[in-house]
Amino acid sequence: MKLISVLLSYLLFQFNLQSQILDPVHWSSKINSLGNQEYELILTATMDKEWCIYSQISDPDAAIPTEISLEKAGGLELIGKVEERGNLKKAAEPLFDNKILAKYYDKVDFVQKFKIKGNVTSIKASAYFMSCNSETCIPPTSKEFYLSLKGEPISAPLNQPEGANGMQASTDPVLSSSNELDQQKIFDPVKINSTLHKINDSQYNVQFEAIIDEGWHIYSKLSGEGPIPTGMSFTSEDHFSLEGKEEEICENKHSGFDEFFEVDVTKFKKKAVFVQKINIKDASVPVKGLFTYQVCDASKCLPPKSLAFEIYADKNKVLIEGSGPSGSTGLKIDGNKIDQIIPQIKESLATPIGDCGEENIKGENHFWTFVFGFIGGLLALLTPCVFPMIPLTVSFFIKGSKDKKTGLRNGLVYALSIIIIYVIIGTLINILAGPTALNDLSVNWIANVFFFLVFIVFALSFFGFFEITLPSSWSNKSDAMADKGGIIGIFFMAFTLALVSFSCTGPIIGTAIVESARSSSFGPIVVMLGFSIALALPFGFFAAFPAMLNSLPKSGGWMTNVKVVLGFLELALAFKFLSTADMTKHWGILGYEIFMGIWFVLFLLTALYLFGFIKFPHDSPLNKLGTTRLAFALLFLGISIYLATGFSYSPEFQSYKPLKLMSGLAPPSTYNYFLDKPIVDQDIKSKYPSYTKCANNIDCFHDYYEGLSYAKEKNLPLFVDFTGYACVNCRKTEEHIWVQDEIRNSLMKDFVLVSLYVDDKNPLPETYISTHTNNPIRNVGNKWADFQIVNFNQNSQPLYVIMSPDEKIITKPRGYHSSVSEYNDFMKCGLKAYKEYSESVGEN
């Protein structure tokens, strides 16, 4: 009984994410002296359970590899590369399209050796890393270390007297707050200034001035194909027009053959000015565009930059992205530091206008995993390997016991033994493979192709072409142990049942374990608990009420029919595994139409089999179609008709209308062969470039400030969706909740949906440093992750926030919930609160 108690306690444990900043990686540092002025710096990362960070050699196009850097002072020389000491794991990462990534769990040491040649007494090092678990990732962050050569942390930054090499040690042993540390300026050899010159009431000259460092140059539009030319590009809108071509002015212009690009080019050095005349019809509407350039020296080129700009004719200025606190970009930038806090959001977050929403994100829910296993156990009971054993085993306990009480006890011990055996199997699988390994296996394309083939074999076995059995010696040894009697003997009787029934239960168990690993960290344990309880239930029940045995149906050909039906279901699941591999590798062999067509045919064949039109090798002659068999035949026929409705076209979705019961089983309806992509409103797109179609063909924006501008224009509340391409619960919300008509229509008509991807890797024009988190802002995902953290004090996705166009929080932010009704109530409450607030503002 103690074992059952421990297992149940283990199963009931789950993690709840609270409304706080997650910090699953903990760093420590030390310096070891190696003699002869040589040292090794050891930065140790200790990860919370189930969290990982990525190796320096991991694929940079997926998760961000860890970067370790040591600031090279005048007398410091690095020896070799950074060494990693830990248990490196290379596996497919489901959060990043199943790419093979190298990562570390639990603990890893990063070791950098260096040599001191001058008067260096302290060093500065940094770690830039990204941490993930099986369901989500925390945006990349940095950690800085200031250490004396004795390995002690010191205050930073330290002022270096003229002529000193390196940083001086401090007597203060406390590491200072990261917000107090000065950040190194990002290198950029080109400085851009912009001005707007008014010619008359409608004509303006837009001017960009490039100040170029010595030894560097940028390129003219007259250059041949190769380098990126410098110049302006504008969005296509009706309220302005360009007049003439862009003018290039530079006193240090050089033309000739460029050996780097192997073409004739025109280069600008030191200073260049670019002027474009424009006619503006409506001065109140900003003119938007990009200023693009590429800078090179004699040996290398830096990546091209595109600076977004907005022209405000009514204010007679040009605002470059990041140039100041004004404008629609909303970015307050001082040098390379960025401040994204919006005071209205911070102030209203504590006391939202409406009384709805919540502030925590729920963890895993194992209920449906348990139900899935329980149903599998019920199906196993109906197979010819298990069903005949029920009356035989119960009768053995009742007749072989000295009294009824003993027989009841033995029957309950037998049922309890079944539960213990199967839960132990699930526990061993979870311990040996690990929850993350099981999840990796469930989405790995090689494993899924293997499961596809295995399930084909299982199906053929169920069809009666052959039997799958375990070695007979296993069951013989177990049977011998059962003959010893007592509780141990009863336990091995149950173990013998598990072995001899494997030909029927094996495929069901295999299906349950693989599928459960997709949805829960402890899935194999939970699903085996459900499976074993269902399997053990009749043994305990009939031991307590032996007279009820007479109500059981007699064994016969119907059990073979059950196996055949299970064979068809195994075939259907086999194609689910192949579909996973297909989407992972982008083969394009099992799109939505083919997958749904195969499932339709399989369920139709099952119905025809039950009607008696199809027969298999071990089927008994069908003299009469019984009521139960007829009912199941009609059920499968109904399912096949239901599957056929999955080919209906939805004008709203501009795709096939997905079936609710097939969500998570079939490929997305957008993964098809015959339909065009959804059409977007080009008028809105030309004004707001981030405007697009999100999940379920819902209009949305991928830029907060563009969405905010549109919300002000339409006087609608914002529905901000902090999401991620690798966010599992985000996809669940989109596929199970946003598809509901009332919710989808409300998102389309009552709100301005803004989906901000915190893992969007599109680079920003330059790298910034967050003034509040001290993290580098290198790409769009970094920007929105920082925006979420500094304004909402959360860094987990999904997070849903309803806001007014004046950036007041309407409801408390909401995390992931599976309830459609609760989500709908959240939206209705937010909309009602916004309307009341809007009316009160209008009255005032």
Side-chain angles (χ1 to χ4, degrees):
M1 293 300 294
K2 184 178 180 181
L3 176 60
I4 291 295
S5 176
V6 172
L7 290 172
L8 288 174
S9 298
Y10 186 42
L11 292 171
L12 292 174
F13 177 76
Q14 61 180 5
F15 297 104
N16 290 318
L17 299 176
Q18 302 300 320
S19 177
Q20 60 185 8
I21 302 302
L22 294 178
D23 187 15
V25 183
H26 313 283
W27 290 88
S28 60
S29 60
K30 67 177 180 178
I31 294 178
N32 294 332
S33 175
L34 304 178
N36 296 323
Q37 293 296 306
E38 292 186 1
Y39 299 84
E40 66 175 9
L41 168 68
I42 303 177
L43 301 183
T44 301
T46 303
M47 283 69 75
D48 289 347
K49 187 177 181 181
E50 298 185 10
W51 287 86
C52 70
I53 62 175
Y54 295 88
S55 168
Q56 300 168 105
I57 63 173
S58 191
D59 185 352
D61 292 331
I64 303 298
T66 302
E67 298 177 12
I68 304 296
S69 59
L70 185 59
E71 188 176 88
K72 297 181 182 179
L76 186 147
E77 177 182 324
L78 301 183
I79 302 175
K81 296 181 179 180
V82 177
E83 177 187 353
E84 297 177 356
R85 299 173 185 173
N87 185 16
L88 181 65
K89 175 183 175 183
K90 293 183 179 180
E93 178 59 79
L95 298 182
F96 297 98
D97 296 330
N98 289 296
K99 291 186 176 180
I100 303 297
L101 301 183
K103 51 190 174 181
Y104 291 97
Y105 288 92
D106 299 328
K107 181 181 178 182
V108 58
D109 293 334
F110 296 93
V111 182
Q112 174 67 68
K113 295 180 181 180
F114 61 94
K115 187 172 184 176
I116 299 299
K117 293 182 178 181
N119 184 27
V120 177
T121 58
S122 59
I123 66 168
K124 172 187 174 182
S126 64
Y128 182 69
F129 63 97
M130 179 179 187
S131 54
C132 300
N133 64 11
S134 60
E135 292 190 350
T136 189
C137 290
I138 294 178
T141 187
S142 62
K143 178 73 174 178
E144 293 191 337
F145 308 86
Y146 290 81
L147 298 166
S148 71
L149 290 184
K150 296 179 181 180
E152 299 174 347
I154 60 176
S155 295
L158 297 173
N159 295 324
Q160 301 178 34
E162 188 175 352
N165 290 324
M167 302 166 59
Q168 294 189 1
S170 168
T171 57
D172 184 0
V174 180
L175 182 64
S176 65
S177 166
S178 61
N179 284 339
E180 298 171 355
L181 306 180
D182 287 341
Q183 300 294 329
Q184 184 179 6
K185 292 287 185 180
I186 304 300
F187 176 68
D188 187 353
V190 180
K191 303 297 182 290
I192 303 297
N193 299 314
S194 61
T195 53
L196 183 65
H197 300 285
K198 186 175 181 180
I199 302 173
N200 53 46
D201 289 341
S202 61
Q203 283 190 329
Y204 297 81
N205 275 334
V206 184
Q207 177 177 304
F208 280 85
E209 180 185 59
I211 307 298
I212 309 159
D213 288 355
E214 187 69 31
W216 294 84
H217 56 264
I218 58 178
Y219 294 90
S220 165
K221 288 186 175 180
L222 301 177
S223 300
E225 294 184 4
I228 302 298
T230 307
M232 293 172 256
S233 60
F234 294 82
T235 59
S236 177
E237 300 181 48
D238 295 333
H239 67 282
F240 76 93
S241 61
L242 304 182
E243 184 173 325
K245 294 183 178 181
E246 182 179 323
E247 184 181 0
E248 301 176 335
I249 306 169
C250 180
E251 294 181 359
N252 290 281
K253 180 167 61 173
H254 303 272
S255 299
F257 184 77
D258 189 297
E259 294 183 356
F260 193 85
F261 290 103
E262 297 182 345
V263 293
D264 289 326
V265 301
T266 298
K267 304 175 183 179
F268 298 141
K269 297 182 178 181
K270 294 185 179 181
K271 178 182 175 181
V273 178
F274 304 86
V275 182
Q276 174 66 60
K277 183 180 291 186
I278 60 173
N279 296 309
I280 298 180
K281 302 174 184 176
D282 186 351
S284 64
V285 181
V287 176
K288 299 181 181 181
L290 295 173
F291 183 74
T292 303
Y293 64 92
Q294 182 176 28
V295 59
C296 303
D297 65 7
S299 62
K300 61 183 176 297
C301 291
L302 298 183
K305 283 192 176 183
S306 292
L307 302 180
F309 64 82
E310 295 183 3
I311 300 170
Y312 293 86
D314 55 345
K315 299 177 182 179
N316 199 38
K317 69 177 182 178
V318 179
L319 183 66
I320 303 177
E321 182 175 18
S323 62
S326 306
S328 66
T329 61
L331 303 178
K332 298 186 284 291
I333 294 178
D334 179 14
N336 72 318
K337 292 190 175 182
I338 181 172
D339 178 4
Q340 294 198 97
I341 280 187
I342 298 176
Q344 304 94 299
I345 293 179
K346 297 290 288 185
E347 292 169 4
S348 59
L349 181 63
T351 55
I353 295 170
D355 185 20
C356 43
E358 47 83 62
E359 296 178 352
N360 68 300
I361 301 173
K362 294 185 177 179
E364 296 174 352
N365 186 345
H366 296 115
F367 174 74
W368 291 110
T369 304
F370 175 85
V371 171
F372 181 63
F374 190 84
I375 293 174
L378 294 179
L379 290 175
L381 282 172
L382 301 177
T383 62
C385 309
V386 179
F387 188 81
M389 300 297 294
I390 299 174
L392 291 175
T393 306
V394 174
S395 298
F396 171 80
F397 288 135
I398 298 299
K399 295 178 182 179
S401 303
K402 59 183 179 180
D403 53 44
K404 183 178 180 181
K405 184 177 180 180
T406 304
L408 173 60
R409 185 202 67 184
N410 292 341
L412 293 177
V413 170
Y414 184 79
L416 193 59
S417 298
I418 293 174
I419 296 174
I420 292 173
I421 289 167
Y422 282 102
V423 172
I424 288 176
I425 292 173
T427 304
L428 289 175
I429 291 172
N430 207 77
I431 292 174
L432 295 175
T436 56
L438 281 170
N439 189 63
D440 290 346
L441 187 68
S442 68
V443 296
N444 179 271
W445 76 269
I446 297 176
N448 276 277
V449 171
F450 173 75
F451 290 142
F452 166 72
L453 298 174
V454 168
F455 274 59
I456 295 292
V457 174
F458 283 161
L460 294 176
S461 173
F462 273 148
F463 289 153
F465 293 109
F466 51 82
E467 282 198 359
I468 302 173
T469 59
L470 293 174
S472 59
S473 59
W474 292 11
S475 57
N476 292 336
K477 290 179 181 178
S478 179
D479 196 36
M481 293 293 293
D483 291 338
K484 294 184 178 182
I487 293 179
I488 298 298
I490 295 173
F491 178 84
F492 277 97
M493 282 186 65
F495 191 58
T496 304
L497 172 69
L499 294 175
V500 299
S501 64
F502 182 80
S503 63
C504 294
T505 61
I508 299 174
I509 293 172
T511 304
I513 288 176
V514 173
E515 287 298 319
S516 67
R518 296 176 184 269
S519 58
S520 170
S521 300
F522 306 116
I525 305 175
V526 179
V527 82
M528 284 294 95
L529 179 65
F531 180 88
S532 59
I533 289 177
L535 198 65
L537 198 59
F539 293 97
F541 177 80
F542 288 117
F545 306 100
M548 297 293 291
L549 280 171
N550 295 325
S551 63
L552 281 178
K554 295 181 179 181
S555 302
W558 65 270
M559 291 184 294
T560 301
N561 302 147
V562 171
K563 287 187 66 176
V564 171
V565 171
L566 289 176
F568 280 114
L569 295 178
E570 291 284 330
L571 274 180
L573 287 173
F575 283 99
K576 171 65 182 79
F577 292 117
L578 184 60
S579 172
T580 300
D582 174 53
M583 288 190 292
T584 300
K585 298 299 292 181
H586 307 289
W587 293 328
I589 60 174
L590 202 59
Y592 179 84
E593 297 97 336
I594 295 179
F595 182 93
M596 292 294 291
I598 291 174
W599 271 53
F600 166 76
V601 170
L602 288 174
F603 277 85
L604 181 61
L605 289 175
T606 307
L608 294 176
Y609 168 77
L610 292 172
F611 278 123
F613 294 109
I614 301 174
K615 291 186 177 181
F616 285 90
H618 299 298
D619 280 342
S620 302
L622 181 62
N623 298 321
K624 182 182 178 182
L625 192 63
T627 304
T628 303
R629 182 164 177 164
L630 176 62
F632 276 99
L634 293 174
L635 172 65
F636 279 91
L637 180 60
I639 294 175
S640 64
I641 295 173
Y642 171 75
L643 291 173
T645 64
F647 292 100
S648 60
Y649 179 76
S650 170
E652 294 82 9
F653 287 28
Q654 294 184 23
S655 179
Y656 299 108
K657 190 171 184 179
L659 300 177
K660 295 179 181 179
L661 295 181
M662 293 300 291
S663 179
L665 292 173
S669 60
T670 53
Y671 183 50
N672 57 64
Y673 298 112
F674 305 121
L675 302 180
D676 296 327
K677 292 182 179 180
I679 300 172
V680 299
D681 189 323
Q682 292 301 318
D683 290 337
I684 302 177
K685 182 74 174 177
S686 63
K687 189 174 182 180
Y688 301 104
S690 76
Y691 168 76
T692 185
K693 293 287 186 179
C694 283
N696 309 311
N697 199 35
I698 300 175
D699 294 335
C700 78
F701 296 83
H702 286 327
D703 182 281
Y704 171 78
Y705 302 103
E706 289 188 6
L708 180 64
S709 297
Y710 188 76
K712 290 178 180 179
E713 181 181 318
K714 298 297 182 181
N715 195 27
L716 291 173
L718 284 164
F719 193 93
V720 182
D721 162 35
F722 288 100
T723 184
Y725 295 110
C727 174
V728 175
N729 287 336
C730 303
R731 300 294 86 73
K732 289 181 180 179
T733 300
E734 294 165 1
E735 294 174 3
H736 297 282
I737 297 178
W738 286 9
V739 295
Q740 305 298 320
D741 289 340
E742 187 173 4
I743 291 175
R744 182 177 178 275
N745 290 337
S746 184
L747 285 173
M748 292 281 286
K749 298 176 182 178
D750 301 326
F751 298 92
V752 174
L753 176 61
V754 179
S755 292
L756 305 177
Y757 285 81
V758 300
D759 52 5
D760 186 340
K761 295 177 182 176
N762 285 323
L764 293 174
E766 58 183 290
T767 300
Y768 304 104
I769 301 296
S770 170
T771 57
H772 297 278
T773 66
N774 241 25
N775 292 330
I777 311 296
R778 294 185 169 115
N779 53 46
V780 174
N782 293 157
K783 182 171 76 171
W784 299 134
D786 181 75
F787 181 85
Q788 180 186 2
I789 290 171
V790 300
N791 287 296
F792 301 97
N793 302 321
Q794 293 195 25
N795 64 346
S796 293
Q797 296 77 41
L799 184 70
Y800 305 105
V801 188
I802 298 178
M803 299 169 54
S804 65
D806 57 357
E807 297 179 285
K808 299 285 183 67
I809 303 297
I810 302 296
T811 64
K812 295 177 182 178
R814 177 184 177 85
Y816 171 71
H817 295 268
S818 59
S819 171
V820 175
S821 60
E822 289 181 9
Y823 201 94
N824 196 26
D825 291 341
F826 165 73
M827 293 178 62
K828 285 182 176 179
C829 176
L831 186 61
K832 179 182 178 183
Y834 169 70
K835 289 181 178 178
E836 293 174 352
Y837 168 73
S838 182
E839 290 173 359
S840 66
V841 171
E843 291 175 358
N844 295 330

